[in-house]
Coordinates of all heavy atoms in Angstrom, one line a residue:
M1 N -30.5 -35.7 196.0 CA -30.2 -36.3 194.7 C -28.8 -36.6 194.7 O -27.9 -35.7 194.8 CB -30.7 -35.4 193.6 CG -30.5 -36.0 192.3 SD -30.9 -35.0 190.8 CE -32.6 -34.6 191.1
G2 N -28.5 -38.0 194.4 CA -27.2 -38.2 194.2 C -26.6 -38.1 192.9 O -27.3 -37.5 191.9
E3 N -25.3 -38.3 192.7 CA -24.7 -37.9 191.5 C -25.2 -38.8 190.4 O -25.4 -38.3 189.2 CB -23.1 -38.2 191.7 CG -22.4 -37.8 190.4 CD -20.9 -38.0 190.6 OE1 -20.4 -38.2 191.8 OE2 -20.2 -38.0 189.6
H4 N -25.4 -40.0 190.6 CA -26.0 -41.0 189.6 C -27.3 -40.6 189.1 O -27.6 -40.6 187.8 CB -25.9 -42.4 190.1 CG -24.6 -42.9 190.4 ND1 -23.6 -43.2 189.4 CD2 -24.0 -43.2 191.6 CE1 -22.5 -43.6 190.0 NE2 -22.7 -43.6 191.4
E5 N -28.2 -40.2 190.0 CA -29.5 -39.7 189.5 C -29.5 -38.5 188.7 O -30.2 -38.4 187.6 CB -30.5 -39.5 190.7 CG -30.9 -40.7 191.4 CD -29.9 -41.1 192.5 OE1 -29.0 -40.3 192.9 OE2 -29.9 -42.2 193.1
F6 N -28.5 -37.6 189.1 CA -28.4 -36.4 188.3 C -27.9 -36.6 186.9 O -28.3 -36.1 186.0 CB -27.4 -35.4 189.1 CG -27.1 -34.1 188.3 CD1 -28.0 -33.1 188.2 CD2 -25.9 -34.0 187.6 CE1 -27.8 -32.0 187.5 CE2 -25.5 -32.9 186.9 CZ -26.5 -31.8 186.9
L7 N -26.9 -37.5 186.9 CA -26.4 -37.9 185.4 C -27.4 -38.6 184.6 O -27.6 -38.4 183.4 CB -25.2 -38.7 185.7 CG -23.8 -38.1 186.2 CD1 -22.8 -39.2 186.4 CD2 -23.5 -37.1 185.2
A8 N -28.2 -39.5 185.3 CA -29.3 -40.1 184.6 C -30.3 -39.1 184.0 O -30.7 -39.2 182.9 CB -30.0 -41.2 185.4
E9 N -30.7 -38.1 184.8 CA -31.7 -37.1 184.3 C -31.1 -36.3 183.3 O -31.7 -36.0 182.3 CB -32.1 -36.2 185.6 CG -33.1 -36.9 186.4 CD -33.5 -36.0 187.5 OE1 -33.3 -34.7 187.5 OE2 -34.0 -36.6 188.7
T10 N -29.8 -35.9 183.4 CA -29.1 -35.1 182.4 C -29.1 -35.9 181.0 O -29.4 -35.3 180.0 CB -27.7 -34.8 182.8 OG1 -27.9 -34.1 184.1 CG2 -27.1 -33.8 181.9
W11 N -28.6 -37.2 181.1 CA -28.7 -37.8 179.8 C -30.0 -38.1 179.2 O -30.1 -38.2 178.0 CB -27.9 -39.3 180.0 CG -26.4 -39.1 180.1 CD1 -25.6 -39.1 181.2 CD2 -25.5 -38.9 179.0 NE1 -24.3 -38.9 180.8 CE2 -24.2 -38.7 179.4 CE3 -25.8 -38.7 177.6 CZ2 -23.2 -38.6 178.6 CZ3 -24.6 -38.4 176.8 CH2 -23.5 -38.4 177.3
A12 N -31.0 -38.3 180.1 CA -32.3 -38.5 179.5 C -32.8 -37.2 178.8 O -33.6 -37.2 177.9 CB -33.3 -38.9 180.7
K13 N -32.3 -36.1 179.1 CA -32.7 -34.7 178.5 C -32.0 -34.5 177.2 O -32.5 -33.7 176.4 CB -32.5 -33.6 179.4 CG -33.3 -33.6 180.6 CD -33.1 -32.4 181.6 CE -33.8 -32.4 182.9 NZ -33.4 -31.4 183.8
I14 N -30.9 -35.1 176.9 CA -30.0 -34.9 175.8 C -30.6 -35.7 174.7 O -30.9 -36.9 174.8 CB -28.5 -35.3 176.1 CG1 -28.0 -34.4 177.1 CG2 -27.8 -35.1 174.8 CD1 -26.6 -34.8 177.5
D15 N -30.9 -35.0 173.5 CA -31.3 -35.7 172.4 C -30.2 -36.2 171.6 O -29.3 -35.4 171.0 CB -32.2 -34.8 171.5 CG -32.8 -35.6 170.4 OD1 -32.9 -36.7 170.3 OD2 -33.2 -34.8 169.3
V16 N -29.9 -37.5 171.4 CA -28.8 -38.0 170.8 C -29.1 -38.6 169.4 O -28.2 -39.4 168.9 CB -28.1 -39.2 171.7 CG1 -27.5 -38.7 172.9 CG2 -29.1 -40.2 172.0
T17 N -30.2 -38.4 168.8 CA -30.5 -38.8 167.6 C -29.8 -38.1 166.6 O -29.5 -36.9 166.7 CB -32.1 -38.6 167.2 OG1 -32.4 -37.3 167.4 CG2 -32.9 -39.5 168.2
V18 N -29.5 -38.8 165.4 CA -28.6 -38.1 164.4 C -29.6 -37.9 163.3 O -30.3 -38.8 162.8 CB -27.4 -39.0 163.9 CG1 -26.7 -38.3 162.9 CG2 -26.6 -39.2 165.2
E19 N -29.6 -36.7 162.7 CA -30.4 -36.3 161.5 C -29.9 -37.3 160.3 O -28.7 -37.5 160.2 CB -30.3 -34.9 161.1 CG -30.8 -34.0 162.2 CD -30.5 -32.6 161.9 OE1 -30.2 -32.3 160.8 OE2 -30.6 -31.7 162.8
K20 N -30.8 -37.6 159.4 CA -30.5 -38.5 158.3 C -29.5 -37.8 157.4 O -28.4 -38.5 157.1 CB -31.8 -38.8 157.5 CG -32.8 -39.7 158.2 CD -32.3 -41.1 158.2 CE -33.2 -42.0 158.9 NZ -32.8 -43.4 159.0
P21 N -29.6 -36.5 156.9 CA -28.5 -36.0 156.1 C -27.1 -36.1 156.8 O -26.1 -36.3 156.0 CB -28.9 -34.5 155.8 CG -30.4 -34.6 156.1 CD -30.6 -35.6 157.2
R22 N -27.0 -35.8 158.0 CA -25.8 -35.9 158.6 C -25.2 -37.2 158.7 O -24.0 -37.5 158.7 CB -25.8 -35.3 160.1 CG -25.9 -33.8 160.1 CD -25.7 -33.3 161.4 NE -25.8 -31.9 161.5 CZ -25.8 -31.1 162.6 NH1 -25.7 -31.8 163.7 NH2 -25.9 -29.9 162.6
L23 N -26.1 -38.2 159.0 CA -25.6 -39.7 159.0 C -25.1 -40.0 157.7 O -24.0 -40.7 157.6 CB -26.8 -40.5 159.4 CG -26.5 -42.0 159.5 CD1 -25.4 -42.2 160.6 CD2 -27.8 -42.8 159.9
K24 N -25.8 -39.8 156.7 CA -25.3 -40.0 155.3 C -24.0 -39.5 154.9 O -23.2 -40.0 154.4 CB -26.4 -39.7 154.2 CG -27.7 -40.6 154.3 CD -28.6 -40.1 153.2 CE -29.9 -41.0 153.3 NZ -30.9 -40.5 152.3
Y25 N -23.9 -38.2 155.3 CA -22.7 -37.4 155.0 C -21.5 -38.1 155.8 O -20.3 -38.2 155.3 CB -22.8 -36.0 155.4 CG -21.5 -35.2 155.3 CD1 -21.1 -34.8 154.0 CD2 -20.8 -34.7 156.4 CE1 -20.1 -34.1 153.8 CE2 -19.6 -34.1 156.3 CZ -19.3 -33.6 154.9 OH -18.1 -32.8 154.8
S26 N -21.7 -38.4 157.1 CA -20.7 -39.1 157.9 C -20.3 -40.4 157.4 O -19.0 -40.7 157.3 CB -21.2 -39.3 159.3 OG -21.5 -38.1 159.9
I27 N -21.2 -41.2 156.8 CA -20.9 -42.5 156.2 C -20.0 -42.2 155.0 O -19.2 -43.0 154.6 CB -22.2 -43.3 156.0 CG1 -22.7 -43.8 157.3 CG2 -21.9 -44.5 155.1 CD1 -24.1 -44.4 157.2
A28 N -20.5 -41.2 154.2 CA -19.7 -41.0 152.9 C -18.3 -40.5 153.2 O -17.3 -41.0 152.6 CB -20.4 -39.9 152.1
V29 N -18.1 -39.7 154.2 CA -16.8 -39.3 154.6 C -16.0 -40.4 155.1 O -14.7 -40.5 154.8 CB -16.8 -38.2 155.7 CG1 -15.5 -37.9 156.4 CG2 -17.4 -36.9 155.2
C30 N -16.4 -41.4 155.9 CA -15.7 -42.4 156.4 C -15.4 -43.4 155.1 O -14.2 -43.9 155.2 CB -16.5 -43.2 157.4 SG -16.9 -42.5 158.9
I31 N -16.3 -43.6 154.1 CA -15.9 -44.4 153.1 C -14.8 -43.8 152.2 O -13.8 -44.4 151.9 CB -17.2 -44.6 152.2 CG1 -18.1 -45.6 152.9 CG2 -16.8 -45.2 150.8 CD1 -19.4 -45.7 152.4
V32 N -14.9 -42.5 152.1 CA -13.8 -41.8 151.2 C -12.4 -41.9 152.0 O -11.4 -42.2 151.3 CB -14.1 -40.4 151.0 CG1 -13.0 -39.5 150.4 CG2 -15.3 -40.3 150.0
A33 N -12.5 -41.8 153.3 CA -11.2 -41.9 154.0 C -10.7 -43.2 153.9 O -9.4 -43.5 153.9 CB -11.4 -41.4 155.5
A34 N -11.6 -44.3 154.1 CA -11.0 -45.7 154.0 C -10.5 -45.9 152.5 O -9.5 -46.6 152.4 CB -12.2 -46.6 154.3
L35 N -11.1 -45.4 151.6 CA -10.6 -45.6 150.2 C -9.3 -44.9 150.0 O -8.4 -45.4 149.2 CB -11.6 -45.1 149.1 CG -12.8 -46.1 149.0 CD1 -13.9 -45.4 148.0 CD2 -12.5 -47.4 148.6
G36 N -9.1 -43.8 150.7 CA -7.8 -43.1 150.6 C -6.6 -43.9 151.2 O -5.6 -44.0 150.5
G37 N -6.9 -44.6 152.3 CA -5.9 -45.5 152.8 C -5.7 -46.7 152.0 O -4.5 -47.2 151.9
L38 N -6.8 -47.2 151.5 CA -6.6 -48.3 150.5 C -5.7 -48.0 149.3 O -4.8 -48.8 148.9 CB -8.0 -48.7 150.1 CG -8.0 -50.0 149.1 CD1 -7.7 -51.3 149.9 CD2 -9.4 -50.1 148.5
C39 N -6.0 -46.8 148.7 CA -5.2 -46.4 147.5 C -3.7 -46.1 147.9 O -2.9 -46.5 147.2 CB -5.7 -45.1 147.0 SG -7.3 -45.3 146.2
F40 N -3.5 -45.6 149.1 CA -2.1 -45.4 149.6 C -1.4 -46.7 149.7 O -0.2 -46.9 149.2 CB -2.1 -44.7 150.9 CG -0.7 -44.3 151.4 CD1 0.0 -43.4 150.9 CD2 -0.2 -45.1 152.6 CE1 1.3 -43.1 151.3 CE2 1.0 -44.7 153.0 CZ 1.8 -43.8 152.4
G41 N -1.9 -47.8 150.3 CA -1.4 -49.0 150.4 C -1.2 -49.7 149.1 O -0.2 -50.4 148.9
Y42 N -2.2 -49.5 148.2 CA -2.1 -50.1 146.9 C -0.8 -49.5 146.1 O 0.0 -50.1 145.5 CB -3.2 -49.9 146.0 CG -3.2 -50.4 144.6 CD1 -3.4 -51.7 144.4 CD2 -3.0 -49.5 143.6 CE1 -3.3 -52.2 143.0 CE2 -2.9 -50.0 142.3 CZ -3.0 -51.3 142.1 OH -3.0 -51.8 140.7
D43 N -0.7 -48.1 146.2 CA 0.5 -47.5 145.6 C 1.8 -48.0 146.2 O 2.8 -48.3 145.5 CB 0.5 -46.0 145.9 CG -0.6 -45.4 145.0 OD1 -1.1 -46.0 144.2 OD2 -1.0 -44.2 145.4
L44 N 2.0 -48.3 147.6 CA 3.2 -48.8 148.1 C 3.4 -50.2 147.6 O 4.6 -50.6 147.3 CB 3.0 -48.7 149.7 CG 3.2 -47.4 150.3 CD1 3.1 -47.5 151.7 CD2 4.6 -46.9 149.9
G45 N 2.3 -50.9 147.4 CA 2.5 -52.3 147.0 C 3.0 -52.3 145.5 O 3.9 -53.1 145.1
V46 N 2.5 -51.4 144.6 CA 2.9 -51.4 143.3 C 4.4 -50.9 143.2 O 5.2 -51.4 142.5 CB 2.0 -50.5 142.5 CG1 2.6 -50.1 141.1 CG2 0.6 -51.1 142.3
L47 N 4.7 -50.0 144.0 CA 6.0 -49.4 144.0 C 7.1 -50.6 144.6 O 8.1 -50.6 143.9 CB 6.2 -48.2 144.9 CG 7.6 -47.5 145.1 CD1 8.1 -46.9 143.8 CD2 7.5 -46.5 146.2
A48 N 6.7 -51.3 145.5 CA 7.5 -52.4 146.0 C 7.7 -53.5 144.9 O 8.9 -53.9 144.7 CB 7.0 -53.0 147.2
S49 N 6.6 -53.8 144.2 CA 6.8 -54.8 143.1 C 7.6 -54.2 142.0 O 8.3 -55.1 141.4 CB 5.4 -55.4 142.8 OG 4.7 -54.3 142.3
V50 N 7.6 -53.1 141.7 CA 8.2 -52.6 140.6 C 9.8 -52.5 141.0 O 10.6 -52.8 140.1 CB 7.7 -51.1 140.1 CG1 8.8 -50.4 139.2 CG2 6.4 -51.1 139.5
L51 N 10.0 -52.2 142.2 CA 11.4 -52.1 142.5 C 12.2 -53.5 142.4 O 13.4 -53.5 142.3 CB 11.6 -51.6 143.9 CG 11.3 -50.0 144.1 CD1 11.3 -49.6 145.5 CD2 12.4 -49.2 143.2
I52 N 11.4 -54.5 142.5 CA 12.1 -55.8 142.5 C 11.9 -56.5 141.1 O 12.4 -57.7 140.9 CB 11.5 -56.8 143.6 CG1 10.1 -57.1 143.5 CG2 11.9 -56.3 145.0 CD1 9.5 -58.1 144.3
M53 N 11.4 -55.8 140.2 CA 11.2 -56.4 138.9 C 12.5 -56.6 138.2 O 13.3 -55.6 138.2 CB 10.2 -55.6 138.0 CG 8.7 -55.7 138.3 SD 7.7 -54.5 137.3 CE 8.1 -54.8 135.7
P54 N 12.8 -57.7 137.4 CA 14.1 -57.9 136.8 C 14.3 -56.8 135.7 O 15.4 -56.3 135.5 CB 14.0 -59.2 136.2 CG 13.1 -59.9 136.9 CD 12.0 -58.9 137.4
Q55 N 13.3 -56.4 135.0 CA 13.5 -55.4 133.9 C 13.9 -54.1 134.5 O 14.7 -53.4 134.0 CB 12.1 -55.2 133.1 CG 11.7 -56.4 132.4 CD 10.8 -57.4 133.2 OE1 10.6 -57.1 134.4 NE2 10.2 -58.4 132.7
F56 N 13.2 -53.7 135.6 CA 13.6 -52.4 136.3 C 15.0 -52.4 136.8 O 15.6 -51.5 136.7 CB 12.5 -52.3 137.4 CG 12.6 -50.8 138.0 CD1 12.3 -49.7 137.4 CD2 13.2 -50.7 139.3 CE1 12.3 -48.4 138.0 CE2 13.4 -49.5 140.0 CZ 12.9 -48.4 139.3
T57 N 15.3 -53.5 137.6 CA 16.7 -53.5 138.2 C 17.7 -53.6 137.2 O 18.8 -53.1 137.3 CB 16.7 -54.7 139.2 OG1 16.5 -55.9 138.5 CG2 15.8 -54.5 140.4
S58 N 17.5 -54.3 136.0 CA 18.6 -54.5 135.1 C 18.8 -53.2 134.2 O 19.9 -53.0 133.8 CB 18.3 -55.6 134.1 OG 17.2 -55.5 133.4
T59 N 17.7 -52.5 133.9 CA 17.7 -51.3 133.2 C 18.4 -50.2 133.9 O 19.3 -49.5 133.4 CB 16.4 -50.8 132.7 OG1 15.7 -51.9 132.0 CG2 16.4 -49.6 131.9
L60 N 18.1 -50.0 135.2 CA 18.6 -48.8 136.0 C 19.7 -49.3 136.9 O 20.5 -48.4 137.3 CB 17.5 -48.2 136.8 CG 16.3 -47.6 136.0 CD1 15.3 -47.1 136.9 CD2 16.8 -46.5 135.2
S61 N 19.9 -50.4 137.2 CA 21.0 -51.0 138.1 C 21.0 -50.1 139.4 O 22.1 -49.4 139.6 CB 22.3 -51.1 137.4 OG 22.8 -49.9 136.9
L62 N 20.0 -50.0 140.1 CA 20.0 -49.2 141.3 C 20.5 -50.0 142.6 O 20.3 -51.1 142.5 CB 18.4 -48.8 141.6 CG 18.0 -48.0 140.6 CD1 16.3 -47.8 140.9 CD2 18.5 -46.6 140.5
S63 N 21.2 -49.3 143.4 CA 21.7 -49.9 144.6 C 20.5 -50.0 145.6 O 19.5 -49.3 145.4 CB 22.9 -49.1 145.2 OG 22.4 -47.9 145.7
T64 N 20.7 -50.6 146.7 CA 19.8 -50.6 147.8 C 19.4 -49.3 148.3 O 18.3 -49.0 148.7 CB 20.3 -51.6 148.9 OG1 20.6 -52.8 148.3 CG2 19.1 -51.7 150.0
I65 N 20.5 -48.4 148.4 CA 20.3 -47.1 149.0 C 19.4 -46.2 147.9 O 18.5 -45.5 148.5 CB 21.6 -46.4 149.1 CG1 22.3 -47.1 150.4 CG2 21.5 -44.9 149.5 CD1 23.7 -46.7 150.6
D66 N 19.6 -46.5 146.7 CA 18.8 -45.8 145.8 C 17.3 -46.1 145.8 O 16.5 -45.3 145.7 CB 19.3 -46.0 144.3 CG 20.7 -45.4 144.0 OD1 21.0 -44.4 144.7 OD2 21.4 -46.0 143.2
K67 N 17.2 -47.5 146.0 CA 15.7 -47.9 146.1 C 15.1 -47.4 147.3 O 13.9 -47.0 147.3 CB 15.7 -49.5 146.1 CG 16.1 -50.1 144.8 CD 16.1 -51.6 144.9 CE 16.5 -52.2 143.6 NZ 16.6 -53.7 143.5
T68 N 15.8 -47.3 148.5 CA 15.3 -46.8 149.6 C 15.0 -45.3 149.5 O 14.0 -44.9 150.1 CB 16.5 -47.0 150.8 OG1 16.8 -48.3 150.8 CG2 15.9 -46.5 152.0
N69 N 15.9 -44.6 148.7 CA 15.5 -43.1 148.6 C 14.3 -43.1 147.7 O 13.5 -42.1 147.9 CB 16.8 -42.5 147.9 CG 18.0 -42.4 148.9 OD1 17.8 -42.3 150.0 ND2 19.1 -42.2 148.3
I70 N 14.0 -43.9 146.7 CA 12.9 -43.8 145.9 C 11.6 -43.9 146.8 O 10.6 -43.1 146.8 CB 12.8 -44.8 144.8 CG1 13.8 -44.5 143.8 CG2 11.5 -44.9 144.1 CD1 14.2 -45.5 142.7
V71 N 11.6 -45.0 147.6 CA 10.5 -45.2 148.5 C 10.4 -44.1 149.5 O 9.2 -43.6 149.8 CB 10.5 -46.6 149.3 CG1 9.5 -46.7 150.3 CG2 10.6 -47.7 148.3
G72 N 11.4 -43.6 150.1 CA 11.4 -42.5 151.1 C 10.9 -41.2 150.4 O 10.0 -40.5 151.0
L73 N 11.3 -40.9 149.2 CA 10.7 -39.7 148.6 C 9.3 -39.8 148.3 O 8.6 -38.8 148.3 CB 11.6 -39.4 147.3 CG 13.0 -38.9 147.4 CD1 13.7 -38.8 146.2 CD2 13.0 -37.6 148.1
F74 N 8.9 -41.0 147.9 CA 7.4 -41.2 147.8 C 6.6 -40.9 149.0 O 5.6 -40.1 149.0 CB 7.1 -42.7 147.4 CG 5.7 -43.0 147.3 CD1 5.0 -42.6 146.2 CD2 5.1 -43.8 148.2 CE1 3.5 -43.0 146.2 CE2 3.8 -44.2 148.2 CZ 3.0 -43.7 147.0
L75 N 7.1 -41.3 150.2 CA 6.5 -41.0 151.4 C 6.6 -39.5 151.8 O 5.6 -39.0 152.4 CB 7.0 -42.0 152.5 CG 6.8 -43.5 152.3 CD1 7.6 -44.2 153.5 CD2 5.4 -43.7 152.5
V76 N 7.8 -38.9 151.6 CA 7.8 -37.5 151.7 C 6.9 -36.8 150.9 O 6.2 -35.8 151.4 CB 9.3 -37.0 151.5 CG1 9.4 -35.6 151.4 CG2 10.3 -37.5 152.5
G77 N 6.7 -37.1 149.6 CA 5.7 -36.4 148.8 C 4.3 -36.6 149.3 O 3.5 -35.7 149.3
C78 N 4.1 -37.8 149.8 CA 2.7 -38.0 150.4 C 2.4 -37.1 151.7 O 1.3 -36.6 151.9 CB 2.5 -39.5 150.8 SG 2.4 -40.5 149.3
T79 N 3.5 -37.1 152.4 CA 3.4 -36.2 153.7 C 3.2 -34.7 153.3 O 2.4 -34.1 153.9 CB 4.6 -36.4 154.6 OG1 4.7 -37.8 154.8 CG2 4.6 -35.6 155.9
I80 N 3.9 -34.3 152.4 CA 3.9 -32.8 152.0 C 2.5 -32.5 151.4 O 1.9 -31.5 151.6 CB 5.0 -32.5 151.0 CG1 6.3 -32.4 151.8 CG2 4.8 -31.1 150.4 CD1 7.6 -32.3 150.8
G81 N 2.1 -33.5 150.5 CA 0.7 -33.3 149.9 C -0.4 -33.4 151.0 O -1.4 -32.5 150.8
S82 N -0.3 -34.3 152.0 CA -1.3 -34.2 153.0 C -1.4 -32.9 153.9 O -2.4 -32.4 154.3 CB -1.3 -35.5 153.8 OG 0.0 -35.4 154.7
L83 N -0.2 -32.5 154.1 CA 0.0 -31.1 154.9 C -0.5 -30.0 154.1 O -1.1 -29.1 154.6 CB 1.4 -30.8 155.3 CG 2.0 -31.8 156.3 CD1 3.5 -31.5 156.5 CD2 1.2 -31.7 157.7
L84 N -0.2 -30.0 152.8 CA -0.8 -28.8 152.0 C -2.3 -28.9 151.5 O -2.9 -28.0 151.0 CB 0.0 -28.7 150.7 CG 1.5 -28.3 150.9 CD1 2.2 -28.3 149.6 CD2 1.5 -26.9 151.6
Q85 N -2.8 -30.1 151.7 CA -4.3 -30.5 151.3 C -5.2 -29.4 151.9 O -6.1 -28.9 151.3 CB -4.5 -31.8 151.6 CG -6.0 -32.2 151.2 CD -7.0 -32.0 152.3 OE1 -6.6 -32.1 153.5 NE2 -8.3 -31.8 152.0
G86 N -5.0 -29.2 153.2 CA -5.9 -28.2 154.0 C -5.9 -26.7 153.4 O -6.9 -26.1 153.2
V87 N -4.7 -26.3 153.0 CA -4.5 -25.1 152.4 C -5.2 -24.9 151.1 O -6.0 -24.0 150.9 CB -3.0 -24.7 152.3 CG1 -2.9 -23.3 151.6 CG2 -2.3 -24.7 153.7
F88 N -4.9 -25.9 150.3 CA -5.6 -25.9 149.0 C -7.2 -26.1 149.2 O -8.0 -25.5 148.3 CB -5.2 -27.0 148.1 CG -3.7 -26.8 147.6 CD1 -2.8 -27.5 147.9 CD2 -3.5 -25.7 146.7 CE1 -1.4 -27.4 147.3 CE2 -2.3 -25.5 146.2 CZ -1.3 -26.2 146.6
S89 N -7.7 -26.8 150.1 CA -9.1 -27.0 150.3 C -9.8 -25.7 150.7 O -10.8 -25.3 150.3 CB -9.4 -28.0 151.4 OG -9.0 -29.3 150.9
D90 N -9.1 -25.0 151.7 CA -9.4 -23.7 152.0 C -9.6 -22.7 150.9 O -10.5 -21.9 150.8 CB -8.8 -23.2 153.2 CG -9.0 -23.9 154.5 OD1 -10.0 -24.7 154.6 OD2 -8.1 -23.9 155.4
R91 N -8.6 -22.7 150.2 CA -8.5 -21.6 149.2 C -9.4 -21.8 147.9 O -10.0 -21.0 147.4 CB -7.0 -21.6 148.6 CG -6.8 -20.5 147.6 CD -5.4 -20.1 147.5 NE -5.3 -19.0 146.5 CZ -4.4 -18.0 146.7 NH1 -3.7 -18.0 147.6 NH2 -4.5 -17.0 145.9
F92 N -9.5 -23.2 147.4 CA -10.2 -23.5 146.2 C -11.5 -24.2 146.4 O -12.3 -24.4 145.5 CB -9.4 -24.3 145.3 CG -8.1 -23.6 144.9 CD1 -6.8 -24.1 145.3 CD2 -8.1 -22.5 144.1 CE1 -5.6 -23.4 144.9 CE2 -7.0 -21.7 143.7 CZ -5.8 -22.3 144.1
G93 N -11.8 -24.7 147.7 CA -12.9 -25.5 147.9 C -14.3 -24.7 147.8 O -14.2 -23.5 148.2
R94 N -15.2 -25.4 147.4 CA -16.6 -24.8 147.3 C -16.7 -23.5 146.6 O -17.5 -22.6 146.8 CB -17.2 -24.6 148.7 CG -17.3 -25.9 149.4 CD -18.0 -25.6 150.8 NE -18.1 -26.8 151.6 CZ -19.0 -27.0 152.3 NH1 -20.0 -26.2 152.6 NH2 -19.1 -28.2 153.1
K95 N -15.9 -23.4 145.5 CA -16.1 -22.2 144.6 C -16.7 -22.5 143.4 O -17.1 -21.5 142.7 CB -14.7 -21.9 144.4 CG -13.8 -21.4 145.7 CD -13.2 -20.1 145.5 CE -12.6 -19.8 146.9 NZ -12.1 -18.4 147.1
W96 N -16.8 -23.8 143.0 CA -17.5 -24.1 141.7 C -18.7 -24.8 142.0 O -18.9 -25.6 142.8 CB -16.5 -24.9 140.8 CG -15.4 -24.0 140.5 CD1 -15.3 -23.1 139.4 CD2 -13.9 -24.0 140.9 NE1 -14.1 -22.5 139.3 CE2 -13.3 -23.1 140.3 CE3 -13.4 -24.8 141.9 CZ2 -12.0 -22.9 140.4 CZ3 -12.0 -24.5 142.1 CH2 -11.4 -23.6 141.4

């Protein structure tokens, strides 16, 4: 028996069907993850448009470095939040 025949028999024995509840759960997880990325991009877009608004710039008179720091701190906060999310999920998840 050659290698190709062995692999064909092995793959024929494996059941690759996905149960319906798992499929629905997987689709739901993918949708939530995609919406998370969409919300992150939307937040960045809103932040960028606020930083160039005449009312915002005239009221606070921020320099370019200040505006860069605001955007950078937003991204640092997102990074810290995503790193701590697993800890909070493990500690408080599925308790209620």
